[in-house]
Amino acid sequence: MSFTDLSFLFYFLPLFLAVYYLVPRALKNAVLVLGSFAFYFCGAGARDTLLLGAAVLVHYALARMMDGRNRSARLALLLLTLAADLYFLVFFKYAGFILENLGMLTGREFSVVSLALPLGLSFYLFQSAGYAIDVYRGARAEKNLIDYAAFVVAFPQLIMGPILRYGEWRNALKSRTPRRTDAELGFERFVIGLCCKVLIADQLAPLWASLERIGFEYLSTPLAWLGAVSYSLQLYFDFHGYSLMAMGLGQMLGLPVPRNFDLPYTSRSVSEFYRRWHITLGTWFRDYLYIPLGGSRHGKARTALALAVVWFFTGLWHGASWNFVIWGLVLLAFILLEKFCIGGFLKRHALLSHLYLLFVIPPTWVIFRISDLGALGAYFTRLFPFFGTHSAVSPYDALKLLASFWWLLLLGIFLCLPQPRRFYEKHRGGLKTGLVLFVLFWVCVYFIAASSGNAFLYSSF
């Protein structure tokens, strides 16, 4: 089950909200936990649900055991917690990748049992690990199991984030009274996210599929760049749309789900872009990896090392494939270049810095998208044909696809600017805004019913 399933929109969500709003405050967290496990079970099955329940119990128990212990004991319990998290990540996500590459290095064959990745594993383990680290650092462990479980398994953010901090929810979990305005404004934000996913991201998806049918080595350079730009927008509106829906659902429940995207395509550097893109993941790596490694406090060499570790693991977090590692290392190269060489220039030249960002980011998303390194190389020979040996391809292939997608691309680019968000913030909650979003909701329902369904791109991480 996902937020774009008709069964979620017309059965699960109305029934859940009816019960949630009717029960007294003391029972809301219990309803949230039961409803979230039901939501997760419908989408993930019994095995993944049992694993999620085990993760909740293990992190709750080990964090409770840290309370009142000396520093050495707390450290031992933290290391045990992180070791368990790492074990499950490696077992389900990276074992095949590690053994495959080990076999290539040693010339031996390793038998690998292919296991489906549990839904949302990377997200909820990172959230739980962050909680354990905070308790180790001195934060108060949650004594109420139901409240802690509500923090981990709350269905608005369970599958694809945002990655929460317990301190952001502690007070709301203990005392909240969702108001009618919360429900109205939360539903508005949910519908906006639904539109981003269904009316923009899903409608752009056929453009990239067309490129795959043509074959990357047969693309013209204009079409290769059109595909890179199109996928950049598709990925943004897919994940940003989910994050907006999560924020809206959280507001409807009286729980503060943080913003995960802040107009990243208006940035002026790659560094700024990733402070605005998937904000909660970047903050997690900053607070729990970059700063403990020394951050920028101990000279250029230490800073470069800390950044290298962060971006290597950021790439690997997204998937057990070399293209994700390459993606992270390419971004590392640009971030180091900005930090030590061209950062001052970019700050002084606004127009050039925006053009630089818009030139750099789409090709990096191509690396993110294509897992086959041979196909990735072929695509880059079309993006930059002076590096390739392929014969020239007619540029008119791009015009054929533009004839169908130009208006959608322009709409997507416009919605990446700050003006639409400012307009909505000024008029939200009004009658006209509500009527427009009511109509758009039913347009989304029509497209969902008429399609076979498109999974969220980040659901595989």
Side-chain angles (χ1 to χ4, degrees):
M1 187 190 299
S2 77
F3 295 165
T4 57
D5 289 344
L6 295 181
S7 56
F8 174 82
L9 295 172
F10 291 104
Y11 294 101
F12 175 85
L13 186 59
L15 178 61
F16 172 83
L17 289 177
V19 176
Y20 183 83
Y21 288 143
L22 287 173
V23 299
R25 183 189 303 168
L27 295 179
K28 289 191 186 301
N29 288 344
V31 170
L32 178 58
V33 171
L34 291 174
S36 297
F37 270 112
F39 170 84
Y40 189 80
F41 176 81
C42 290
R47 184 206 67 166
D48 291 4
T49 305
L50 289 173
L51 181 62
L52 173 62
V56 170
L57 293 174
V58 167
H59 287 86
Y60 168 79
L62 291 175
R64 284 293 309 276
M65 290 170 65
M66 288 186 202
D67 270 351
R69 304 282 181 132
N70 61 42
R71 185 177 180 84
S72 298
R74 293 204 314 274
L75 179 59
L77 290 166
L78 175 64
L79 292 176
L80 179 61
T81 305
L82 298 181
D85 292 338
L86 184 61
Y87 171 80
F88 283 110
L89 279 173
V90 170
F91 182 78
F92 284 106
K93 192 170 184 176
Y94 301 109
F97 177 70
I98 293 171
L99 291 176
E100 178 185 352
N101 285 279
L102 188 60
M104 293 173 62
L105 288 173
T106 61
R108 298 177 57 188
E109 289 189 10
F110 295 93
S111 59
V112 180
V113 178
S114 180
L115 295 172
L117 180 66
L119 192 61
L121 179 73
S122 299
F123 287 95
Y124 69 72
L125 283 186
F126 263 47
Q127 182 164 304
S128 301
Y131 167 75
I133 295 171
D134 288 341
V135 172
Y136 164 75
R137 291 175 173 176
R140 179 163 44 91
E142 177 54 59
K143 296 181 179 180
N144 187 308
L145 175 60
I146 298 299
D147 290 358
Y148 175 72
F151 159 71
V152 177
V153 307
F155 71 89
Q157 54 78 48
L158 173 59
I159 296 173
M160 286 169 48
I163 300 171
L164 302 175
R165 301 289 185 82
Y166 191 68
E168 298 171 335
W169 270 30
R170 184 185 293 274
N171 292 335
L173 285 171
K174 299 297 182 183
S175 176
R176 66 188 182 279
T177 304
R179 300 164 298 175
R180 189 184 71 179
T181 54
D182 292 325
E184 293 172 352
L185 294 177
F187 188 72
E188 282 189 4
R189 182 165 275 150
F190 178 87
V191 173
I192 293 171
L194 188 67
C195 291
C196 288
K197 165 62 176 170
V198 175
L199 302 184
I200 301 179
D202 288 354
Q203 306 314 308
L204 282 171
L207 198 157
W208 183 267
S210 297
L211 270 61
E212 292 179 320
R213 286 194 298 270
I214 293 170
F216 298 147
E217 65 271 25
Y218 300 111
L219 306 178
S220 70
T221 295
L223 182 54
W225 277 97
L226 177 64
V229 171
S230 170
Y231 182 72
S232 301
L233 293 172
Q234 179 192 348
L235 183 65
Y236 171 63
F237 285 105
D238 186 281
F239 195 21
H240 180 43
Y242 181 96
S243 297
L244 285 174
M245 285 187 270
M247 288 179 69
L249 289 169
Q251 188 169 4
M252 294 164 71
L253 303 180
L255 296 168
V257 176
R259 186 179 295 277
N260 214 19
F261 291 85
D262 186 18
L263 302 171
Y265 285 104
T266 64
S267 303
R268 294 172 54 182
S269 67
V270 175
S271 304
E272 182 185 357
F273 183 89
Y274 281 98
R275 288 194 296 270
R276 293 166 172 260
W277 177 285
H278 205 343
I279 295 169
T280 56
L281 179 65
T283 302
W284 195 99
F285 275 112
R286 181 197 68 196
D287 293 348
Y288 300 125
L289 199 57
Y290 178 70
I291 292 176
L293 287 173
S296 57
R297 303 187 305 273
H298 301 286
K300 293 182 179 180
R302 185 73 169 270
T303 299
L305 175 62
L307 286 170
V309 172
V310 165
W311 280 101
F312 174 80
F313 283 108
T314 298
L316 205 58
W317 179 89
H318 283 85
S321 176
W322 281 112
N323 68 300
F324 292 116
V325 176
I326 295 170
W327 171 76
L329 295 178
V330 168
L331 292 173
L332 168 68
F334 280 107
I335 289 169
L336 291 176
L337 181 68
E338 294 167 2
K339 194 168 190 66
F340 299 126
C341 298
I342 65 173
F345 176 85
L346 295 175
K347 289 179 181 178
R348 292 191 302 270
H349 299 84
L351 178 60
L352 289 177
S353 62
H354 284 299
L355 292 176
Y356 154 80
L357 185 281
L358 296 175
F359 176 77
V360 166
I361 289 298
T364 65
W365 286 133
V366 172
I367 301 172
F368 185 90
R369 176 63 179 84
I370 302 175
S371 59
D372 183 273
L373 298 187
L376 178 60
Y379 200 106
F380 266 78
T381 64
R382 305 318 304 159
L383 282 172
F384 307 100
F386 39 87
F387 286 129
T389 58
H390 299 288
S391 59
V393 183
S394 169
Y396 295 107
D397 56 359
L399 295 177
K400 292 178 181 178
L401 282 176
L402 267 178
S404 300
F405 290 96
W406 66 270
W407 65 273
L408 194 57
L409 292 166
L410 287 179
L411 176 62
I413 292 169
F414 173 69
L415 292 175
C416 289
L417 300 175
Q419 287 78 9
R421 192 167 86 181
R422 291 173 187 164
F423 181 85
Y424 168 71
E425 294 294 337
K426 181 179 179 180
H427 298 282
R428 65 178 182 174
L431 179 60
K432 292 181 181 179
T433 303
L435 288 175
V436 170
L437 291 174
F438 177 79
V439 172
L440 287 175
F441 171 78
W442 287 103
V443 172
C444 289
V445 169
Y446 169 79
F447 275 92
I448 293 170
S451 70
S452 57
N454 291 286
F456 287 94
L457 297 176
Y458 259 70
S459 63
S460 59
F461 303 141

